[in-house]
Structures are given as structure tokens and as C-alpha cells.
Amino acid sequence: MKQIKIGNFTFSKKAIQSIITGLFCTGILIGALIAHRIKTESNFDFGLFIIFIVPIWFVLKSKLKTEIIKDK
């Protein structure tokens, strides 16, 4: 797998790996918060979810800017 072209964007191998890593971390976080919700019988804490998810995507965003190329 070298590159994938979707519309005007070309995703490199590193861009695809970064997106997959971000989605994996997001899934783990959702699962952990749901397990915590079930164990403590409380509501899903959306604020806590945002606090943990923003730094993950903030770090990955800088990688994605350099790895996704917009075609003309």
C-alpha cells in the first residue's frame, strides 16, 4: 500500500496509519468510559471524553498536515 487517492486528496501510508491510530485510541477511550459508566452506574461523561480525545487528535493533526496532499 503506497498511497490512496480520494477525490482531490492523496493519503500517504503514514497518513493512513495516523488516522487508524487515532481511531483506535478513540475506540479504546469510548470503551473505557462505557465500562466505567456501567461499573459506577453513572452517565457517560462527555466532558471527560473531550478532555482526553483532543490531545490525541491534536498530536496526530500535525502529522496529517504533512502527509495528506491536495491535488490541483
Side-chain angles (χ1 to χ4, degrees):
M1 172 173 60
K2 293 188 178 188
Q3 294 180 341
I4 294 179
K5 184 173 174 138
I6 300 175
N8 292 336
F9 297 102
T10 303
F11 296 84
S12 68
K13 182 179 179 180
K14 286 186 180 182
I16 295 167
Q17 289 174 342
S18 296
I19 292 170
I20 290 171
T21 301
L23 292 173
F24 179 73
C25 292
T26 302
I28 289 176
L29 186 59
I30 289 172
L33 287 174
I34 289 174
H36 178 270
R37 177 188 169 269
I38 291 171
K39 186 169 183 158
T40 62
E41 297 179 3
S42 63
N43 292 332
F44 184 83
D45 193 2
F46 191 71
L48 188 61
F49 175 71
I50 294 298
I51 289 171
F52 284 116
I53 206 71
V54 167
I56 293 170
W57 285 103
F58 184 74
V59 170
L60 292 176
K61 180 183 169 189
S62 62
K63 284 185 179 181
L64 291 174
K65 279 187 176 182
T66 60
E67 298 296 331
I68 297 176
I69 302 166
K70 184 176 181 182
D71 299 332
K72 294 181 180 181

